Amino acid sequence: MALPPLSRTLAAGACLAVLAGSGYGWALAAAPPPSPAGTNVLVVGSDSRAGLTREEKDRWHAGGEACRCADVVMVVHLSADGRRASVVSLPRDSYVPFAPHDDGEGPAAHSGKINAALQHGGPDLLMRTVERATGLEVDHYLQARFKGFVQAVDALGGAPVCTKEPMRDENSGIDLAPGKHHLDGGRALQYVRTRHSGHGDIDRVRRQQRLVAGITGRQLAAGTLEDPRKLHALVGEVARGLRPGPRTGVADMLALAWQARRLRLADVEFATVPLASISHPAGEWGSAVKWNEARARTMFRRLAADRRLAPADDGRGPRGGFDWTGRVAPGDRMDCD
């Protein structure tokens, strides 16, 4: 199965989960109080090209057909006291049991790549499938399309990134010299889509996390969360590219950000679900990603208990250089590629 471009909407969704909102009393009054177990937000980026002009597709190397799949699947956990956030990426080719659903021909129960759950049954099926795979209860759902990512990054003032080696990829259009760079939305899109490294989509997940950490750090350092005027202006722009889903409304998004106003970047931790294989044979689904079930259960149980993720997970992931899967990186220690 052809793989659509990865994670171009990651920053829009993840940054909203951590940043979006304001201190308006009406919104806080309308939203439910924080759960004592913390809050879980499912952040999804679809591969939809809706709203893109031909010129934009050419400029951003965004051609190709969409499969209406989820390019990005991330669980953002905000602690009950609002002082910690955990961002766990679920690779889009993860092979998991789908939640029960109607496939158009009656009730269906099968496994498949997690990104296809959005195509099979929309946001509701994807949300229930993530709940089934992780054991977590998803409180809120945010989804952004292709153009939403570009709009959000531009609204957030661009994305700081860095690379240790030259990054050039004709397919995505990225061309970066070693060092630090500040990218606008279109160039950030190229950055998150590149397959310039040998590890493909798994490396892209890590790159997405670094981009989100950079954007989040800039907003936290600027005090945006604590300034209702700044926050209101920012959210008005970022929210244009987002589509709230099941269990989520504007009041919820506002309340989430207000709850997170005391965050520090050092307390935003990033991880990828522990993996056992990146080439698991999955029948008609082709080669898929298989989780390390024991280590994944440990990770999600910590989130369910509103605890920090383990500061270091010494278990190694699949062969090929992916020993960072399952390991935890504080947002202020995200290294260059």
Side-chain angles (χ1 to χ4, degrees), residues 2-3 9 12 46 79 139 144 179 199 281 288 310 329:
L3 297 179
T9 50
S46 76
S79 67
D139 301 295
H199 300 151

Side-chain angles (χ1 to χ4, degrees), residues 38 62 88 103 121 130 133 159 161-162 183 228-229 242 248 298 308 312 315 317 327:
V88 179
D103 65 358
V130 169
V161 302
C162 62
L183 309 181
R229 289 186 179 181
L242 298 168
T248 307
T298 298
R308 286 185 180 274
R327 295 191 178 185

Side-chain angles (χ1 to χ4, degrees), residues 29-66:
S35 165
T39 303
N40 297 315
V41 184
L42 180 60
V43 177
V44 176
S46 76
D47 72 341
S48 171
R49 275 82 161 163
L52 285 180
T53 66
R54 170 50 59 187
E55 188 275 333
E56 288 171 332
K57 289 181 179 180
D58 291 342
R59 178 166 24 117
W60 299 330
H61 292 239
E65 295 184 5

Side-chain angles (χ1 to χ4, degrees), residues 11-13 147-158 215 234 237-238 241-242:
K147 193 161 187 173
F149 171 82
V150 175
Q151 292 174 334
V153 172
D154 284 338
L156 290 162
I215 294 176
L234 181 66
E237 291 297 316
V238 174
L242 298 168

Side-chain angles (χ1 to χ4, degrees), residues 250-271:
V250 173
D252 300 299
M253 293 190 291
L254 297 176
L256 275 172
W258 190 246
Q259 182 185 350
R261 66 189 181 276
R262 292 168 292 182
L263 272 177
R264 300 178 308 155
L265 185 57
D267 295 319
V268 181
E269 53 187 11
F270 293 82

Side-chain angles (χ1 to χ4, degrees), residues 190-236:
Q190 295 173 321
Y191 172 82
V192 300
R193 292 182 59 222
T194 183
R195 298 189 185 192
H196 89 289
S197 66
H199 300 151
D201 290 338
I202 303 300
D203 274 357
R204 281 205 257 178
V205 168
R206 193 65 161 178
R207 198 172 297 117
Q208 302 298 321
Q209 294 173 355
R210 292 185 177 112
L211 182 139
V212 173
I215 294 176
T216 302
R218 288 182 65 248
Q219 298 301 325
L220 293 175
T224 306
L225 285 174
E226 299 177 312
D227 187 326
R229 289 186 179 181
K230 289 183 180 179
L231 207 47
H232 178 252
L234 181 66
V235 171

Side-chain angles (χ1 to χ4, degrees), residues 13-246:
C15 286
L16 180 78
V18 176
L19 301 175
S22 78
Y24 287 153
W26 69 267
L28 299 180
S35 165
T39 303
N40 297 315
V41 184
L42 180 60
V43 177
V44 176
S46 76
D47 72 341
S48 171
R49 275 82 161 163
L52 285 180
T53 66
R54 170 50 59 187
E55 188 275 333
E56 288 171 332
K57 289 181 179 180
D58 291 342
R59 178 166 24 117
W60 299 330
H61 292 239
E65 295 184 5
C67 75
R68 296 189 298 121
C69 299
D71 274 355
V72 181
V73 184
M74 298 177 64
V75 175
V76 178
H77 175 84
L78 182 63
S79 67
D81 63 7
R83 295 184 181 274
R84 292 182 289 104
S86 302
V87 181
V88 179
S89 297
L90 312 182
R92 65 181 182 179
D93 285 344
S94 298
Y95 190 68
V96 298
F98 282 16
H101 62 286
D102 190 331
D103 65 358
E105 300 180 358
H110 61 85
S111 295
K113 293 183 178 180
I114 200 168
N115 68 338
L118 184 64
Q119 180 185 36
H120 278 235
D124 177 71
L125 178 59
L126 178 55
M127 185 169 63
R128 291 189 294 111
T129 296
V130 169
E131 289 182 327
R132 180 170 181 169
T134 64
L136 297 171
E137 180 177 354
V138 174
D139 301 295
H140 300 292
Y141 178 101
L142 295 172
Q143 180 177 324
R145 295 176 176 176
F146 185 101
K147 193 161 187 173
F149 171 82
V150 175
Q151 292 174 334
V153 172
D154 284 338
L156 290 162
V161 302
C162 62
T163 177
K164 293 179 180 178
E165 303 292 336
M167 186 179 293
R168 296 185 179 89
D169 183 356
E170 292 183 1
N171 292 325
S172 72
I174 195 69
D175 187 357
L176 296 178
K180 296 182 179 180
H181 302 271
H182 194 89
L183 309 181
D184 64 10
R187 294 184 72 206
L189 174 65
Q190 295 173 321
Y191 172 82
V192 300
R193 292 182 59 222
T194 183
R195 298 189 185 192
H196 89 289
S197 66
H199 300 151
D201 290 338
I202 303 300
D203 274 357
R204 281 205 257 178
V205 168
R206 193 65 161 178
R207 198 172 297 117
Q208 302 298 321
Q209 294 173 355
R210 292 185 177 112
L211 182 139
V212 173
I215 294 176
T216 302
R218 288 182 65 248
Q219 298 301 325
L220 293 175
T224 306
L225 285 174
E226 299 177 312
D227 187 326
R229 289 186 179 181
K230 289 183 180 179
L231 207 47
H232 178 252
L234 181 66
V235 171
E237 291 297 316
V238 174
R240 289 191 305 150
L242 298 168
R243 300 177 59 198

